[in-house]
Amino acid sequence: MKPTEILSQEHRVIEQVLDCLEKIVRKSKEEGKVDAESARAAIDFFRGFADKCHHAKEENQLFPVLHTKGFGGGCGPIAVMLREHELGRLYIGGMDASLNAAASGDADAVRWFVQHGESYIRLLREHIQKEDHCLFPSADQKLSTEDEQSLLAAFAQVEKDEIGELHARYVEIANRLAERFGVRRVSEANGELR
């Protein structure tokens, strides 16, 4: 398996929770308050799985290797991906900051939660498309077998050091949210959930 295939599989799990967040946001607009339990679970997932595990593999492992292969530069694809990771963190922080008041029905907080949530969903969907259909295929052409083996070992180390036993917890969060909101689970759609 290629390193980019691992990252693409992780994208499918992230998209599953994005589908749930979309329903959380829609329900928040309709009801005038946020389902705090579901929103907290989604925020936890995005911070822990999408950022601490997935983005850590990209930022600390894949992107530095790609930089040596000519993908660098201030306006290059890696710079764009890094800026989008940072913007995503800001949107997650905005949802989290407004959550308690939004759960109580504070209209301004609900609007902020919805705005940050919709922005995050749009950003991540576009970001995943860029990586899956542009960056990763280009990376696959440039990475040597040795690069790929080194990245696979580094990814395994990230899983061990950064996420460890929490990986299963985040998959469980993704699946509980999918069940709650009637979203197809990755395992049902693509064969296996990582």
Side-chain angles (χ1 to χ4, degrees), residues 125-161:
R125 289 196 190 284
E126 291 172 3
H127 180 83
I128 287 170
Q129 288 299 309
K130 289 176 203 171
E131 287 185 342
D132 281 348
H133 299 291
C134 298
L135 183 63
F136 293 170
S138 296
D140 287 342
Q141 292 177 350
K142 296 284 187 179
L143 294 172
S144 68
T145 302
E146 295 78 24
D147 293 330
E148 289 177 349
Q149 293 305 312
S150 176
L151 284 168
L152 289 171
F155 284 8
Q157 197 64 45
V158 168
E159 284 286 337
K160 181 178 177 241
D161 294 345

Side-chain angles (χ1 to χ4, degrees), residues 43-185:
I43 289 168
D44 181 26
F45 173 87
F46 290 123
R47 281 186 168 151
F49 185 85
D51 201 33
K52 191 173 182 184
C53 178
H54 179 77
H55 290 160
K57 289 174 187 167
E58 292 177 341
E59 292 177 5
N60 301 327
Q61 311 303 326
L62 179 64
F63 292 171
V65 172
L66 292 181
H67 186 78
T68 68
K69 304 288 181 183
F71 287 74
C75 294
I78 293 172
V80 171
M81 297 299 105
L82 289 170
R83 280 193 290 276
E84 290 178 358
H85 286 180
E86 285 300 320
L87 185 55
R89 291 176 186 122
L90 292 173
Y91 291 142
I92 288 291
M95 282 189 287
D96 193 29
S98 62
L99 182 56
N100 287 337
S104 298
D106 179 285
D108 287 334
V110 171
R111 276 194 297 278
W112 278 112
F113 179 87
V114 166
Q115 182 178 5
H116 288 295
E118 288 176 338
S119 296
Y120 184 74
I121 292 163
R122 186 173 43 256
L123 172 75
L124 236 58
R125 289 196 190 284
E126 291 172 3
H127 180 83
I128 287 170
Q129 288 299 309
K130 289 176 203 171
E131 287 185 342
D132 281 348
H133 299 291
C134 298
L135 183 63
F136 293 170
S138 296
D140 287 342
Q141 292 177 350
K142 296 284 187 179
L143 294 172
S144 68
T145 302
E146 295 78 24
D147 293 330
E148 289 177 349
Q149 293 305 312
S150 176
L151 284 168
L152 289 171
F155 284 8
Q157 197 64 45
V158 168
E159 284 286 337
K160 181 178 177 241
D161 294 345
E162 297 297 324
I163 203 91
E165 295 174 10
L166 293 175
H167 192 107
R169 178 177 164 266
Y170 289 121
V171 170
E172 177 59 29
I173 289 171
N175 287 335
R176 272 197 333 263
L177 285 168
E179 185 175 316
R180 183 176 297 159
F181 291 100
V183 168
R184 257 176 64 150
R185 291 169 42 163

